[in-house]
Amino acid sequence: MSLGLLLTLLWVAAASVTALLLRGEINQVFDSALQETAERLLPLAVMDIVDREDNAGAQRLAALRERGEYFTYVVRGETGLILLQSHRADPGVFPPYDGPGFRQTQGFRIYNDDALKGTVRISVAEPMSHRATVFWEIVLALGLPLLLVIPIALAVIVFAVRASLAPLRRFRATLAGRGSSDLSAVPADGLPAELKPLAASLNGVLARLKAAFEAERNFASHAAHELRTPLAGAIAQAQRLRGETGEPAAAARAAEIEATLKRLTRLSERLMQLARAEGGRLRLDQPRDLSPAARIVTEDAARGTPEGRVTLRLPAAPVFSDLDPDAFGILLRNLIENALRHGEADGPVAVTLAADGLLTVANDGPVVPPETLSRLTRRFERGGAGNHGSGLGLAIVAAIADRLNSTLILRSPATGRTQGFEVAVRLPAGGGVAADRMAPERGEARGPPQPALTDSGGVFMSGSSTELKYQPAHEELHYINRSGWLRAAVLGANDGIVSVSSLVVGVAAADPTPQAVLIAGFAGLAAGAMSMAAGEYVSVSSQSDIEAADIERERQALLDTPEAEERELAAIYESRGLSPATAALVARELTEKDALGAHVRDELGLSEVHAANPLQAAIASGLTFCAAAALPVLAAVFAPEGRIIPTVVVTTLVALAGLGALGAHAGAAPKIPATLRVLFWGAAAMAITAGVGHIFGVSV
């Protein structure tokens, strides 16, 4: 919309300048007609007055028929006596005669002239309202069609640009909607050719990050799994040592060793659970009732606690969800064990699974400060210095919630209490299709992680995330992907400067009046911009049609004669220097992977980098033409009187030098040859056009 507004403002400014110049031209034409009328009437009036027998009275010419009369006149003698007047002349309009020439009164333009040594004087008057009427009729006749065409053209341009950018918006929305753990490849279908290398590089980065994360998770999981057997053996040896020794100090030390080994065992189990939560499959193809799993996990976690300390509340109806029961068990067990470990001794722990999938676990205990709540889901974060937990329980729960695109809610005090701690997480309930059931292939998070928010003592969070910085490998910097729009932009700018400056110089050589030069300049700017945009669109569209037709013929040939096409591809590689065996091998492997792409690239010489984009070329060419053509026009506007040609020539040469250097810089090409080339041909075009204008003396 900002581009459309800018173009509209530019058009309004150009139209205003054109209207002012047009008004000046109209005044000159009407002044010339006014003077010519006086010069034609004066001899006739002199003859009429001289042939009279009685010059005492004024005569009024009778009208032959009723008609519109824009010029009125009076003929007066040396004393001011009216001798002759037109039939609608009003003597009060004409001021006293004060010599030949133009006069301006309120509402009238008057031309005076005399004959017979000033004894016969004529004054011709024209109402200024007539000129204003003619001016506005011309402006409306020229402007009304443009007022209709320009909004339609802008609407078409906006629609076309939006349609061409739709794949880019989808690409952006796909990236914005991803969670921190979704490292699958981003679909690049329909992206413009200039952005496909970016998407390919991004997908390469995501693939490397995914491989690194999977390697990290696999290592943690395998290491924890391998530790289970040695740890179990060490615990057994510590228990045996404690049973065999009779010394109290040795028995106490053996008990401490046993407790430490058990904590290490629990830590290895938590590490395996964390790896499962971050990389395993969490969703199933079919929903299942979570109530039996909740009942089994709660009963198992409550073993060794006083009866009734852990309570479970389930709805009457089944709670269906596509969440994997194993993942649900890991989540619920960690919540219950966390509540038992960090709550008051023998304090109740309430587990509730609602029909809508909301799982809550609450215990009694002191209120946890908000600053502590905000960091409890970090890895190896414990609620206090005296806690002996692994510090991974809530981190595992947060990882599962994050991959489920759910929100983990930590509250202290618990809901409806003055103390205690409560954890709530909403599980995917119902029988809907799981959006992330193929998690091992493409990740499971479906949205950006929710930020931590403080609300009435509770902290709302979606789990922790890790920010990684990737240092890309060395890649050479190329600019060939800019050739499509850069060619059209440079061509439009160069043509705008050369053609309009040549037109201005040629017209100035034939008719150096500022009005003629400016009208020619603005007309050349408008016509040239539309011509360049339309020409580029038609030309590049034709190129795109030819490319599409060639690709379709190649596709059909691959269907009809695949063996011959493979031999043709091998011959192409052999002609480029490969041995026959290597050429045949390369042709076979490329044919198996992407036969059409190989033939389009190596036989037809086409690629996505050089793909034709008609709309992009038309917009780039038209806009750069307008911007560049405005330079010589502005130079002509501000040029000193009589110095239009040198001012425009100098401005144009400077602009051409800058354009050549800028185009070379955008394409990372040598600047001096490009600048000299543009300067030479631009100067030649202006010289030839100025010569034509000077020789023939006409506007070209």
Side-chain angles (χ1 to χ4, degrees):
M1 292 303 292
S2 58
L3 178 60
L5 179 60
L6 178 60
L7 292 177
T8 303
L9 293 176
L10 288 176
W11 176 83
V12 170
S16 301
V17 174
T18 304
L20 293 176
L21 297 176
L22 178 62
R23 187 159 193 166
E25 292 293 326
I26 290 176
N27 287 332
Q28 289 184 6
V29 171
F30 276 96
D31 283 349
S32 177
L34 192 64
Q35 181 178 356
E36 185 178 352
T37 301
E39 292 173 350
R40 288 179 179 271
L41 288 175
L42 183 58
L44 299 176
V46 169
M47 293 177 60
D48 179 75
I49 294 171
V50 170
D51 292 340
R52 290 183 187 178
E53 296 179 356
D54 182 12
N55 293 333
Q59 293 186 4
R60 184 185 296 269
L61 294 181
L64 298 178
R65 64 181 63 88
E66 287 297 327
R67 69 185 187 280
E69 187 175 279
Y70 301 111
F71 289 174
T72 58
Y73 64 90
V74 296
V75 180
R76 291 175 284 198
E78 189 174 4
T79 61
L81 178 65
I82 296 177
L83 304 176
L84 183 65
Q85 65 184 49
S86 59
H87 74 287
R88 289 190 177 181
D90 181 7
V93 171
F94 298 89
Y97 185 83
D98 58 354
F102 288 98
R103 302 293 183 270
Q104 183 79 32
T105 65
Q106 186 174 5
F108 288 89
R109 181 75 166 170
I110 299 173
Y111 181 77
N112 296 329
D113 203 355
D114 55 38
L116 299 180
K117 298 181 180 181
T119 58
V120 179
R121 303 167 178 177
I122 187 171
S123 297
V124 183
E126 178 195 8
M128 296 302 295
S129 59
H130 174 232
R131 296 191 179 191
T133 301
V134 173
F135 170 74
W136 285 112
E137 287 177 353
I138 295 175
V139 169
L140 291 177
L142 295 176
L144 283 180
L146 292 178
L147 291 177
L148 296 177
V149 170
I150 288 180
I152 295 175
L154 289 178
V156 171
I157 292 174
V158 170
F159 176 78
V161 172
R162 285 184 177 273
S164 63
L165 294 180
L168 181 59
R169 290 197 297 270
R170 290 195 296 269
F171 184 76
R172 182 187 64 182
T174 301
L175 290 179
R178 288 186 165 225
S180 59
S181 60
D182 188 358
L183 300 177
S184 59
V186 181
D189 300 336
L191 278 180
E194 292 80 5
L195 292 179
K196 285 190 175 181
L198 175 63
S201 300
L202 176 61
N203 287 332
V205 172
L206 293 177
R208 291 190 286 271
L209 287 175
K210 183 178 180 180
F213 285 150
E214 288 180 351
E216 179 185 353
R217 286 194 295 264
N218 290 336
F219 174 78
S221 178
H222 293 162
H225 181 75
E226 293 298 327
L227 285 174
R228 296 179 66 179
T229 301
L231 286 174
I235 290 174
Q237 293 297 327
Q239 291 174 345
R240 181 177 178 182
L241 178 62
R242 189 178 63 176
E244 291 178 352
T245 184
E247 298 181 4
R253 188 168 302 171
E256 291 179 0
I257 294 174
E258 180 184 358
T260 302
L261 291 174
K262 287 182 177 179
R263 286 199 300 271
L264 184 58
T265 301
R266 287 195 298 270
L267 177 60
S268 66
E269 291 176 354
R270 293 295 186 273
L271 289 175
M272 286 191 294
Q273 291 178 358
L274 183 61
R276 168 81 166 83
E278 291 183 340
R281 183 177 179 181
L282 300 185
R283 312 286 282 270
L284 301 176
D285 294 333
Q286 296 295 330
R288 298 183 180 181
D289 183 14
L290 293 181
S291 300
R295 193 175 292 109
I296 292 173
V297 172
T298 303
E299 292 175 356
D300 183 66
R303 289 196 180 103
T305 63
E307 185 176 356
R309 183 184 179 189
V310 180
T311 60
L312 173 64
R313 181 183 300 175
L314 296 173
V319 181
F320 287 101
S321 174
D322 58 3
L323 177 62
D324 190 322
D326 290 339
F328 173 71
I330 293 174
L331 185 148
L332 181 56
R333 178 179 291 277
N334 277 280
L335 288 178
I336 295 176
E337 291 182 355
N338 183 77
L340 290 172
R341 181 176 298 110
H342 299 291
E344 290 185 350
D346 298 331
V349 175
V351 180
T352 304
L353 179 61
D356 60 355
L358 182 64
L359 175 67
T360 58
V361 178
N363 64 354
D364 282 338
V367 175
V368 180
E371 58 273 12
T372 304
L373 279 177
S374 62
R375 64 173 189 268
L376 284 182
T377 56
R378 300 175 186 173
R379 298 181 183 182
F380 305 106
E381 184 71 32
R382 296 170 178 84
N387 294 324
H388 299 291
S390 63
L392 290 175
L394 288 180
I396 294 171
V397 174
I400 295 176
D402 185 40
R403 292 188 61 199
L404 294 176
N405 196 26
S406 180
T407 301
L408 178 63
I409 305 172
L410 309 181
R411 294 191 184 98
S412 183
T415 303
R417 307 182 190 178
T418 58
Q419 62 175 4
F421 178 79
E422 181 182 65
V423 181
V425 58
R426 188 171 299 278
L427 307 177
V433 179
D436 55 349
R437 57 186 54 164
M438 300 302 292
E441 289 77 17
R442 58 183 182 90
E444 295 189 340
R446 283 299 164 272
Q450 302 294 328
L453 303 173
T454 303
D455 181 19
S456 302
V459 174
F460 297 74
M461 56 184 60
S462 63
S464 58
S465 60
T466 304
E467 180 181 358
L468 299 178
K469 293 184 178 180
Y470 171 70
Q471 181 67 33
H474 169 70
E475 294 182 2
E476 295 178 353
L477 188 61
H478 297 287
Y479 295 91
I480 189 64
N481 60 318
R482 301 181 179 179
S483 61
W485 63 265
L486 184 59
R487 179 198 63 81
V490 171
L491 179 61
N494 185 73
D495 195 23
I497 294 177
V498 173
S499 61
V500 175
S501 61
S502 300
L503 180 63
V504 169
V505 170
V507 172
D511 182 7
T513 59
Q515 292 82 358
V517 173
L518 294 181
I519 289 176
F522 281 110
L525 187 152
M530 294 303 299
S531 175
M532 286 298 298
E536 281 292 332
Y537 187 85
V538 172
S539 174
V540 179
S541 295
S542 300
Q543 177 187 347
S544 180
D545 294 341
I546 294 173
E547 293 175 358
D550 282 345
I551 293 174
E552 184 59 35
R553 281 191 288 271
E554 196 64 34
R555 180 183 287 108
Q556 189 61 41
L558 288 171
L559 294 176
D560 297 338
T561 56
E563 295 83 3
E565 290 296 315
E566 183 177 333
R567 290 194 298 272
E568 181 183 21
L569 196 61
I572 292 173
Y573 298 142
E574 188 175 347
S575 67
R576 295 179 181 175
L578 296 181
S579 64
T582 304
L585 177 61
V586 172
R588 168 60 57 85
E589 293 184 353
L590 289 179
T591 299
E592 292 176 353
K593 182 178 181 180
D594 183 9
L596 180 61
H599 281 270
V600 168
R601 181 176 57 254
D602 296 318
E603 181 181 349
L604 302 181
L606 301 177
S607 67
E608 293 179 348
V609 172
H610 300 92
N613 190 327
L615 183 62
Q616 182 189 64
I619 293 176
S621 181
L623 291 181
T624 53
F625 186 98
C626 288
L631 295 177
V633 175
L634 292 176
V637 171
F638 296 105
E641 185 177 357
R643 308 293 294 174
I644 291 180
I645 292 179
T647 303
V648 172
V649 169
V650 172
T651 303
T652 301
L653 293 178
V654 173
L656 286 174
L659 176 63
L662 181 62
H665 176 74
K671 295 180 177 62
I672 294 179
T675 303
L676 294 177
R677 181 170 59 245
V678 173
L679 277 175
F680 173 78
W681 289 109
M686 285 189 295
I688 294 173
T689 312
V692 172
H694 180 73
I695 293 172
F696 293 98
V698 295
S699 299
V700 292

